[in-house]
Every structure is written in structure tokens, then in C-alpha cells.
Amino acid sequence: MSAPRVRFGLPMSLLSLASLAWLAAACGRVPSTSAVDAASKHPHPTLTVRSPATIRVAAASSLRDVLETAAEVYSHSESEGAGMKFSFDASSTLARQIQEGAPFDVFLSADEGTMDRVADRIVPGTRRVFLSNRLALAGRAGWAPAPVTPGQLATDPALAGARLALPGAAVPAGRYWREWMTTHGVLAAIEPRCVVSDSVRAALALVEAGSVDAAFVYATDIASTSGRVTLLSELPATEGPAIAYVAAQLRDGDRDAASEADTFVRWLGGDDFRRLALAAGFSAPP
């Protein structure tokens, strides 16, 4: 018969206590019961970091190119990575959306009258005129040698068959052009021959597509087009109507973005943005 096996060592409970004592000695201190309890309740402390606000901007379609450039400059120089979400369309369309409760933070209109329509939605003290522009006649490349003036379209028999595009009467550019045509007595001769478009960019797209021969737009729109469009003529600033782009912060916007929206509207009236806009063909406010 084999000899009975003898087990050496301490009972497990004593061994566990001894191990804890040795670890405590090695670490130099024994954790308190309260500390152990707290750690068990909150094993992974949470750090909350607020992400930069995104500003939702409703902007006249004629501002698309300059604002896309300006957004990059603003984000790097004026804010800590604030996002920009643009909605470009005719100012009249955007104003209707704002009146219906669209949650934009900033509205950039191409005229004063459209901004007046949303006056009850504006944060007091934030409205300001920040740019101007000039009216121009854009033509399909190769259609007619420049210059071709708006007056010629009304009186020159050789241009009587010209296909034309004009922004609608509710669109700021359409109102500016109709004001000029009325003043110069050519509205009755020109307007019936025009395809009505929803915005200046839509009118210009008709020229690019070859659907019309010429369009009544802003001077800055022509600079952003392809080689299929050419400048036929531009109204002198002294002859055309006073074009005013207006900016305002909206009270129905995101509360978390309110401070950033206010900063952005102020920045649009500053020298840094003004330099970008002048380089893009815009003019200083009237």
C-alpha cells in the first residue's frame, strides 16, 4: 500500500490574504474600502467633448463660389473647425422656406426686400449689407460678337429672334433687371421674349446648355462659368440699380450654433471676407 499523500501549504483563504498583503507591501499602500467601492461603481470615467457647431446658411445662388472659398478661410482662421452647411437657391425661395420654419442659422439675401419678408425671424441687431454686384448680359459663346447691350436686344432687328432667359420677378436679379428695363423703356419689348428661370444660376445654365442665346444675370456669375458662356455687356454701376446683399442671423436656428452664427455674420462684414469677394468680382456695399 502506498503511503498517504501529505499536502503542504496554507489553506486558500490564508493564501489569498497573504498574497494581498504582499502586493500591498510592494505598492507601498493598501487601498481603502471606499476607494475600491468607488472604482467598482465607476470603472471607466467618461470625458465629454463638445464637437464644433455646424452653421446652416441659406444663401443666394449667386454667392455659391465665393462662399465655398470663404468657408475654408473662416474655418481655419476664425473658428475651431466649425462646420458649414450651405443651401443655395433664389433668395425668394429661401425666404419662403424660412417663413415656413426651416431651421437655418444665417440668411444671405441678394436684396433688401427679400430680407424684409423674414424680418420677424431675424435676431435683432444682426442685419447688415455686406456686398454689392453689377448686372450683366451673358451670351452663348459664338452667338454674337460683344458688346451686345440690353437696349440692342429691344431695338435691333437683327437680334429680334434672340432666345433670352430672365430670372423671375420674385427673384432679386429679376427685380433688379425689370427695374432697369422699366426705367429705360424696354421692358415691354424684352420681357415677353424671355424664358423665366428660378434663379440667376438657372438662367445661366440655359445659356450653357444652348437652350437660349443670352441671359440677364450678375457679372460675377459669368466669371464662374465654362467656356460656353461669354460676357456680352455689363451695366455700369452708376447706371444699374443699387444691388445690396444682406446678411442676418436667424432666431429659429440651432441654439448651440448661435454664437458661431453671430461671429460668421460679423466676419462677412470684415476686411478678410471683403478681399475674397472683391477678387471674385463683387463690389463693396453701396
Side-chain angles (χ1 to χ4, degrees):
M1 178 181 294
S2 59
R5 185 175 299 173
V6 179
R7 297 181 178 179
F8 294 92
L10 297 172
M12 285 302 297
S13 59
L14 293 177
L15 181 61
S16 298
L17 291 173
S19 298
L20 288 173
W22 181 84
L23 287 171
C27 294
R29 63 177 181 175
V30 178
S32 66
T33 302
S34 59
V36 173
D37 291 342
S40 64
K41 293 178 182 178
H42 306 284
H44 302 291
T46 301
L47 177 62
T48 301
V49 179
R50 183 179 179 275
S51 60
T54 295
I55 309 170
R56 293 161 298 181
V57 182
S61 60
S62 54
L63 292 169
R64 177 186 293 271
D65 299 307
V66 70
L67 284 181
E68 288 177 346
T69 299
E72 296 182 12
V73 176
Y74 176 82
S75 181
H76 286 90
S77 64
E78 299 297 324
S79 71
E80 298 180 358
M84 293 276 185
K85 185 175 181 180
F86 292 105
S87 292
F88 294 104
D89 211 323
S91 299
S92 54
T93 300
L94 296 170
R96 184 171 64 252
Q97 293 174 4
I98 292 168
Q99 289 174 316
E100 292 172 353
F104 293 115
D105 301 298
V106 173
F107 181 31
L108 307 179
S109 171
D111 73 331
E112 296 266 20
T114 302
M115 188 64 79
D116 290 342
R117 288 169 50 189
V118 298
D120 61 332
R121 306 278 180 167
I122 295 174
V123 175
T126 64
R127 176 171 172 164
R128 68 197 63 206
V129 175
F130 68 104
L131 278 184
S132 185
N133 209 332
R134 299 164 311 287
L135 297 179
L137 186 62
R140 179 169 50 82
W143 169 64
V148 174
T149 67
Q152 284 179 273
L153 291 174
T155 60
D156 190 339
L159 300 175
R163 299 168 298 168
L164 308 173
L166 175 67
V171 179
R175 284 205 301 275
Y176 288 135
W177 267 114
R178 285 172 175 79
E179 178 184 334
W180 182 89
M181 292 177 188
T182 299
T183 300
H184 290 79
V186 298
L187 181 64
I190 291 179
E191 188 175 28
R193 297 159 52 193
C194 293
V195 174
V196 177
S197 65
D198 293 335
S199 69
V200 285
R201 289 301 175 97
L204 206 58
L206 291 172
V207 179
E208 289 191 277
S211 301
V212 299
D213 299 309
F216 299 93
V217 295
Y218 294 119
T220 53
D221 292 304
I222 301 173
S224 64
T225 60
S226 65
R228 295 190 296 272
V229 177
T230 186
L231 173 65
L232 294 177
S233 61
E234 182 179 315
L235 295 185
T238 54
E239 182 180 332
I243 298 172
Y245 286 84
V246 192
Q249 183 184 351
L250 301 174
R251 61 176 178 80
D252 291 336
D254 185 354
R255 290 184 179 180
D256 291 338
S259 177
E260 197 69 56
D262 176 69
T263 300
F264 179 63
V265 170
R266 292 177 185 276
W267 184 76
L268 290 175
D271 292 338
D272 289 343
F273 175 74
R274 185 72 51 79
R275 281 191 289 268
L276 288 173
L278 294 181
F282 288 88
S283 308

